[in-house]
Amino acid sequence: MLSGKARKAGVLGWPVAHSRSPRLHGFWLERYGIDGAYLPLPVAPVHFPEAVRALVQLGFAGANVTIPHKEAAFALCDAVDDAAQRAGSVNTLFFRENGRIEGTSTDGYGFLESVREQAPGWQAGDGPAVILGAGGAVRSVAAALLDAGCPRLVLANRTAVRAEALARDLGGPIEVTDRPRLEDAALLVNGTSLGMEGQPPLVLDLAPLPATAVVADLVYVPLETPLLAAARARGLQAVDGLGMLLHQARPGFAGWFGVEPRVDAALRAFVAADLMP
Ligand SMILES: NC(=O)c1ccc[n+]([C@@H]2O[C@H](COP(=O)([O-])OP(=O)(O)OC[C@H]3O[C@@H](n4cnc5c(N)ncnc54)[C@H](OP(=O)(O)O)[C@@H]3O)[C@@H](O)[C@H]2O)c1
């Protein structure tokens, strides 16, 4: 039930039909009994800036931004925070009452919160993190790990120059290699699209990982990737990609609707039910 004062937010993407964000935010709106709405907002790239200005005029509180608009959103903001600066992109917009547009990138935060939730006891300072991939998601995850105190990152990507560029941009203790050593890794992250439904699996022997290592996959369709199944079979703590998806949504919801939302089993089950391949 919406009143004339309902708070409004949504997700801008092109296409946007695949986005789970409306389902996720819709669950929280209902759970907390909020007079508000969260809409899918399909917008072609050529119309993106005018669409954002229109949302401001329409009194939206803000929006999420997904592919292919994350860099355009960064360029359009009046102010961005450190996380967005490090990511070079924005996934969450806040429209302030004075008309200013502020942006942040919450993927790195969502990743860290997800690992803390699914691998209790893990701390960023525990040891090196080996990250496979060097795309947009890895950029956010790598920056968040360094900022949280990870002592060293080891980056391996099919296209080495992309990993080198990322290491240069982020600065700090980052090694780029095509043969990552797993022996002293405290955390292994798959940030490639390997293992995703319709893609080849990630083939990697997990035997050299220490018994205390945590294995995280950013892929969330399927929820249990071959990599996570192999990690669990070795008795390692495994962290799925759904946790990152859920936790990255929290700052936006809190800012737009004024309630700190909870990630719990009921929310996971509700969103996971929509992830079946
Ligand atoms: N859980 C979440 O909330 C969340 C959020 C964002 C993304 N993700 C997931 O994270 C993954 C990466 O997303 P992204 O946005 O960073 O995509 P992206 O920018 O397109 O990067 C894709 C990465 O995968 C690598 N890759 C693709 N195909 C490969 C192959 N056949 N062999 C080896 N490497 C391959 C690419 O390597 P090259 O550089 O060599 O092309 C690149 O490192 C996707 O699975 C996505 O679904 C999850």
Side-chain angles (χ1 to χ4, degrees):
M1 295 292 284
L2 296 178
S3 80
K5 294 187 221 148
R7 308 275 298 166
K8 300 174 291 290
V11 54
L12 293 149
W14 187 255
V16 86
H18 65 282
S19 173
R20 272 75 184 197
S21 294
R23 188 171 169 90
L24 163 53
H25 287 275
F27 179 94
W28 279 332
L29 286 169
E30 191 169 320
R31 168 183 276 176
Y32 299 111
I34 289 171
D35 183 18
Y38 183 101
L39 300 168
L41 302 165
V43 177
V46 64
H47 296 306
F48 181 73
E50 58 180 312
V52 173
R53 280 192 289 275
L55 293 181
V56 173
Q57 290 302 317
L58 289 164
F60 272 58
N64 281 127
V65 179
T66 188
I67 293 166
H69 302 312
K70 289 185 179 188
E71 284 79 20
F74 180 89
L76 172 152
C77 283
D78 297 306
V80 296
D81 67 3
D82 282 354
Q85 203 81 52
R86 300 267 269 161
S89 67
V90 152
N91 74 347
T92 306
L93 295 171
F94 299 101
F95 304 150
R96 304 300 181 199
E97 292 198 344
N98 58 7
R100 275 168 67 86
I101 299 175
E102 295 176 8
T104 182
S105 172
T106 63
D107 280 339
Y109 163 83
F111 173 78
L112 287 182
E113 288 291 290
S114 171
V115 179
R116 288 176 181 134
E117 182 199 346
Q118 294 186 48
W122 174 86
Q123 291 185 349
D126 285 349
V130 173
I131 308 182
L132 311 177
V138 164
R139 186 170 284 264
S140 300
V141 165
L145 281 169
L146 286 176
D147 293 346
C150 185
R152 190 159 59 91
L153 298 186
V154 180
L155 281 187
N157 192 45
R158 176 179 62 178
T159 310
V161 289
R162 210 173 169 198
E164 283 155 10
L166 176 52
R168 252 194 326 273
D169 289 353
L170 291 183
I174 307 181
E175 174 197 349
V176 175
T177 174
D178 56 355
R179 287 206 199 138
R181 262 177 57 82
L182 299 187
E183 281 78 356
D184 53 358
L187 176 68
L188 170 69
V189 183
N190 175 35
T192 74
S193 37
L194 293 173
M196 201 160 128
E197 184 66 19
Q199 298 284 323
L202 172 66
V203 180
L204 185 67
D205 178 12
L206 301 185
L209 280 173
T212 51
V214 173
V215 177
D217 209 327
L218 303 196
V219 170
Y220 55 85
V221 181
L223 205 48
E224 184 78 349
T225 60
L227 175 71
L228 295 184
R232 286 189 222 278
R234 245 215 68 187
L236 304 174
Q237 294 198 87
V239 178
D240 63 43
L242 178 57
M244 173 172 166
L245 183 75
L246 302 179
H247 283 283
Q248 62 77 29
R250 285 169 42 211
F253 189 91
W256 306 320
F257 300 115
V259 173
E260 293 282 346
R262 204 171 66 244
V263 168
D264 61 9
L267 175 71
R268 274 185 77 83
F270 183 74
V271 178
D274 190 43
L275 294 181
M276 299 305 152

